Amino acid sequence: TGPLLTAIRAFSPPPAPTTNVGAVAAAAAAAASVAGATGRARPAGRRRRITAGHVLRQGSEIMCEGIQTFSKVEVVRPRPSGEMKEKFSGPTYEIQPRGSIGLGAVAARGLEAGSLVLEEAPLLTLRSDCDEKQALKALHADFDALPASKQAATMRLDDAFGRRSRKTLPGIVHTNAFVGERGQGLLCAESSRFNHSCRPNCEHSWDEEAGVFRIFASRDILQGEDLTLSYIDLWADTRERRRRLRQFGFKCMCPICMAASALNGVGEPGSEMRRKSLAEMIDRTEEVCERDPIEGLDLIEETLEMCDREGLLLNAFRSQANLYASKLLAQLGRKEEAREKAEMAYGFCVMSHGANHRESRSLEARVAKLSAAPSVPSLAYLQ
């Protein structure tokens, strides 16, 4: 709908703790202090690299190497939903003043990677199937139809574009809305309080079928930690990220950008180089994979390892990367490896979207198809 939606937050992402999703490897690499840690599994005498979210057979031995700080490695087995519900009961977040950046969400208790932090229906939806004038007219009509309590909740949200402290409904949407699957703007009362970080610990998901917006923990989170999302593409250096964030009317104060401020606006050299490399690798992935699938598989693995080293634990991205790898392996006739990558894609998808999301169900079906597929490649499981 024109310039109004161009500035709306976009990022392109069991209830995790209550869903039986099989045996998922919860290696301590999910914690911030070991963001780049990896382990190696040795099922049946064979060694292969694993990461958090890898689906393992029960009883698999896990050996971790090169980890400086971690407490344990645990294989999480399926548990009855009631047991998990009891373990993870209680509020997950609180909205608190966060100094100069205003209000923000804080973890009310410890959260495991993949935990459902928040689920809510949007207050308002900004249409994307018509021109801007029609979309704004419909937005105002929908606002007028809201109960007084929800109108008040809407107007309490920030407007980074209001003049002389006067808020407008388009300004509030411009500042706070997320983007849905069809490009529509989604204005949510609670999710809008989750601040941005260039190294977020949560990620969001829109479930078109259920009509709900969800936020999941990307990694293990300690009680009292700020809960953060990314409002922009993170494959950019500090100056470019700050430029893109100006559309939301604030200067990023996350630890990554604060460190850059201490270096006269230039980020830590290692981090800047990694993000530049990530942008280049992602940009050429499709071309490399089409030219040489084996080289493409190496590039995907290198990209995921670079994300780990940079502390970008983005499970939705990991899911898509592993799905891409699964399709390449199926194309090469490497059925078992294709199934393993599909299992990893499914595990990461559940951690970032939930088990009942359409994408998770699609990946679950893919795993089943690969498990039943013949040894010779066929079109049925190359898709």
Side-chain angles (χ1 to χ4, degrees):
T1 58
L4 188 62
L5 267 184
T6 61
I8 288 177
R9 303 173 185 173
F11 186 73
S12 130
T18 64
T19 303
N20 182 343
V21 296
V24 178
S33 59
V34 290
T38 60
R40 295 187 182 272
R42 296 193 297 177
R46 186 164 61 92
R47 297 180 65 162
R48 57 190 172 90
R49 183 179 180 275
I50 65 167
T51 62
H54 197 126
V55 180
L56 301 177
R57 293 183 177 87
Q58 183 170 334
S60 296
E61 178 184 355
I62 301 176
M63 180 173 64
C64 291
E65 302 173 347
I67 298 179
Q68 297 178 345
T69 307
F70 78 97
S71 57
K72 65 177 180 178
V73 174
E74 176 187 6
V75 175
V76 180
R77 297 177 177 84
R79 310 184 203 185
S81 59
E83 177 186 346
M84 294 295 284
K85 190 172 182 179
E86 180 180 353
K87 178 179 179 181
F88 290 96
S89 62
T92 56
Y93 70 95
E94 297 174 350
I95 305 300
Q96 299 179 359
R98 307 309 293 163
S100 61
I101 62 175
L103 297 176
V106 176
R109 54 178 172 82
L111 299 168
E112 291 187 355
S115 296
L116 178 66
V117 179
L118 179 155
E119 179 180 85
E120 65 176 328
L123 290 167
L124 293 167
T125 299
L126 181 64
R127 294 173 56 183
S128 60
D129 58 350
C130 57
D131 62 33
E132 184 175 341
K133 184 176 179 180
Q134 291 175 308
L136 288 175
K137 182 178 179 179
L139 178 69
H140 282 283
D142 291 342
F143 176 80
D144 292 339
L146 288 176
S149 60
K150 291 189 176 181
Q151 289 185 357
T154 300
M155 298 309 296
R156 281 196 295 268
L157 297 175
D158 289 340
D159 179 356
F161 305 92
R163 296 181 178 179
R164 299 178 181 177
S165 301
R166 295 182 62 182
K167 295 183 180 181
T168 66
L169 185 58
I172 289 172
V173 172
H174 191 155
T175 305
N176 296 281
F178 297 86
V179 173
E181 293 177 9
R182 294 180 288 105
Q184 71 274 41
L186 306 168
L187 185 67
C188 301
E190 296 291 293
S191 301
S192 296
R193 300 299 188 185
F194 283 62
N195 288 317
H196 167 84
S197 173
C198 294
R199 191 173 284 164
N201 56 18
C202 296
E203 50 197 315
H204 60 75
S205 170
W206 168 244
D207 190 328
E208 186 78 23
E209 295 174 336
V212 295
F213 190 86
R214 300 185 180 103
I215 293 177
F216 294 89
S218 298
R219 60 166 174 82
D220 292 345
I221 298 173
L222 299 175
Q223 182 177 356
E225 276 193 70
D226 285 286
L227 298 174
T228 56
L229 299 167
S230 172
Y231 299 173
I232 58 169
D233 180 352
L234 294 172
W235 323 119
D237 61 26
T238 302
R239 284 177 176 166
E240 176 60 19
R241 295 198 308 273
R242 283 182 164 174
R243 185 191 68 79
R244 295 176 186 177
L245 286 167
R246 290 190 196 123
Q247 62 188 304
F248 301 110
F250 72 91
K251 182 178 180 179
C252 184
M253 303 291 285
C254 77
I256 306 301
C257 290
M258 290 294 287
S261 296
L263 295 170
N264 296 320
V266 179
E268 186 270 316
S271 177
E272 297 287 273
M273 186 176 298
R274 285 189 292 270
R275 299 213 183 202
K276 181 180 179 181
S277 296
L278 280 167
E280 294 172 350
M281 288 189 290
I282 292 169
D283 186 57
R284 63 190 181 93
T285 295
E286 184 174 356
E287 181 269 327
V288 172
C289 290
E290 288 181 356
R291 185 184 72 246
D292 185 341
I294 294 178
E295 184 181 348
L297 288 168
D298 290 339
L299 180 60
I300 291 171
E301 183 72 10
E302 183 183 356
T303 301
L304 290 172
E305 290 178 352
M306 184 77 74
C307 284
D308 287 346
R309 289 199 295 274
E310 181 55 16
L312 294 175
L313 307 183
L314 309 173
N315 293 320
F317 177 77
R318 287 167 159 177
S319 176
Q320 290 300 308
N322 278 284
L323 174 59
Y324 203 163
S326 174
K327 290 180 178 180
L328 290 174
L329 289 162
Q331 178 183 331
L332 293 168
R334 292 156 63 175
K335 169 190 166 184
E336 180 63 20
E337 293 172 88
R339 183 188 60 77
E340 290 177 354
K341 288 296 185 182
E343 287 177 338
M344 291 183 69
Y346 171 68
F348 284 126
C349 193
V350 170
M351 293 173 72
S352 56
H353 293 295
N356 294 322
H357 193 279
R358 175 175 49 81
E359 290 190 24
S360 296
R361 299 198 311 270
S362 175
L363 284 167
E364 186 177 27
R366 178 178 178 81
V367 172
K369 186 181 295 185
L370 286 167
S371 298
S375 299
V376 178
S378 69
L379 293 177
Y381 73 100
L382 285 176
Q383 301 304 314

